[in-house]
C-alpha cells in the first residue's frame, strides 16, 4: 500500500485533528522544533505558528517514524517541526549505534 493511499484513507481526518491540536499546544506552550522527538530530530528553535504554511519556517507535525518506513498515519507521536527541518529529515530512520564487543 503506497503512502499516498494511506494519507487519503480512513485515518486522514483523525490525523488532521491531532495535527491541529499539536499546533494549538505548540502556540500556547511555545514548544520548540523537535520537542519530544524520540529520534532527536529538529533544530530546537521557536516555531511561529502564525506563518503561512508555505513558509520554510512554518509549523508542521512530523511523524517520528515516517509513513514510508512503516509508520502509521494515526496513533504515533507527532512532533512539532519547522517545514524546513521536516524536509531535511525526510523519511530518514533513526540510527542505532552498537558498541563493538
Amino acid at each position: 500500500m503506497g503512502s499516498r493511499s494511506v494519507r487519503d484513507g480512513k485515518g486522514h481526518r483523525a490525523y488532521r485533528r491531532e495535527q491541529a491540536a499539536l499546533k494549538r499546544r505548540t502556540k500556547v506552550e511555545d514548544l520548540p522544533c523537535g520537542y519530544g522527538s524520540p529520534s532527536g530530530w529538529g533544530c530546537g528553535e521557536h516555531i511561529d505558528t502564525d506563518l503561512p504554511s508555505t513558509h520554510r519556517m512554518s509549523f508542521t507535525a512530523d511523524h517520528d517514524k515516517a509513513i514510508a518506513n512503516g509508520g502509521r498515519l494515526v496513533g504515533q507521536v507527532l512532533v512539532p517541526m519547522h517545514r524546513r527541518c521536516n524536509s531535511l529529515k525526510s523519511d530518514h530512520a533513526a540510527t542505532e549505534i552498537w558498541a563493538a564487543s
Side-chain angles (χ1 to χ4, degrees):
M1 178 187 273
S3 61
R4 176 82 180 148
S5 61
V6 170
R7 288 188 186 108
D8 292 338
K10 187 176 179 181
H12 187 72
R13 285 192 179 121
Y15 165 72
R16 289 291 181 204
R17 283 192 302 272
E18 289 177 18
Q19 179 187 41
L22 180 61
K23 186 173 184 176
R24 287 189 302 272
R25 182 175 173 221
T26 299
K27 184 172 188 161
V28 169
E29 297 179 24
D30 195 25
L31 300 178
C33 176
Y35 177 82
S37 173
S39 60
W41 283 93
C43 68
E45 298 295 319
H46 166 77
I47 301 172
D48 184 349
T49 56
D50 295 325
L51 289 173
S53 63
T54 55
H55 193 281
R56 67 187 192 100
M57 298 304 277
S58 66
F59 169 87
T60 60
D62 176 61
H63 291 88
D64 195 61
K65 184 174 182 183
I67 294 171
N69 294 336
R72 298 183 321 248
L73 183 63
V74 179
Q76 73 172 304
V77 175
L78 290 181
V79 177
M81 283 188 138
H82 293 118
R83 180 166 301 287
R84 177 183 172 278
C85 296
N86 199 347
S87 178
L88 289 171
K89 178 189 173 219
S90 185
D91 60 359
H92 294 239
T95 305
E96 289 186 33
I97 300 174
W98 293 63
S101 53

